Amino acid sequence: MIEWSVAIALFMGASWFSFQMQSEIDAGLEAANKMAQEQNSAITTFEMSGSVMKDTFTYQGSEVLFMLRQVEKGEYEMSVDDVVFSSGINPEISDISVIDVDATYEARYTYTTDGRIVRIQQFKVR
């Protein structure tokens, strides 16, 4: 009888452990899926202080390169250190060597009256 009790206890413990591991794996896969499938360079989350929204943000050079995808789609126009990337331009044929992937850039936004981004000006923070 003791052997059966021990066997049942071990089986229940192993079952509970595998359930917990599966829950952790599922949560990790779901988080990875959200990061890979739902990312959009046009959406930026930030903390707002009161009701005032600041018009300048800082980005790494790799993030600036990622933002060129939206320029290619025609979402907005972007300039990096006075080099203009017009809306709808193909970044693969443009000179993107002005973007230093290791640098930090400060962005200034220009909006339409309905709040849509029209232009982003990126300046390297020295």
Side-chain angles (χ1 to χ4, degrees), residues 16-90:
W16 179 255
F17 179 73
S18 67
F19 175 74
Q20 290 289 53
M21 285 300 275
Q22 186 61 35
S23 297
E24 293 295 324
I25 290 170
D26 186 48
L29 289 174
E30 187 174 323
N33 186 37
K34 283 183 182 179
M35 284 177 30
Q37 299 298 323
E38 296 180 7
Q39 67 185 12
N40 186 343
S41 64
I43 298 173
T44 304
T45 58
F46 54 91
E47 291 185 25
M48 295 180 66
S49 57
S51 63
V52 179
M53 185 174 77
K54 65 179 186 173
D55 280 340
T56 58
F57 299 95
T58 57
Y59 297 100
Q60 296 294 20
S62 59
E63 294 172 312
V64 173
L65 284 172
F66 187 75
M67 293 169 89
L68 285 176
R69 287 181 167 177
Q70 299 305 109
V71 172
E72 182 181 16
K73 291 179 183 177
E75 302 269 335
Y76 47 76
E77 180 180 280
M78 187 168 73
S79 67
V80 179
D81 289 334
D82 297 326
V83 175
V84 177
F85 297 97
S86 299
S87 178
I89 195 168
N90 185 356

Side-chain angles (χ1 to χ4, degrees), residues 100-119:
D100 182 7
V101 294
D102 296 321
T104 302
Y105 289 88
E106 181 179 292
R108 294 189 187 113
Y109 292 87
T110 305
Y111 302 97
T112 61
T113 55
D114 62 347
R116 193 173 52 85
I117 298 173
V118 176
R119 180 178 172 86

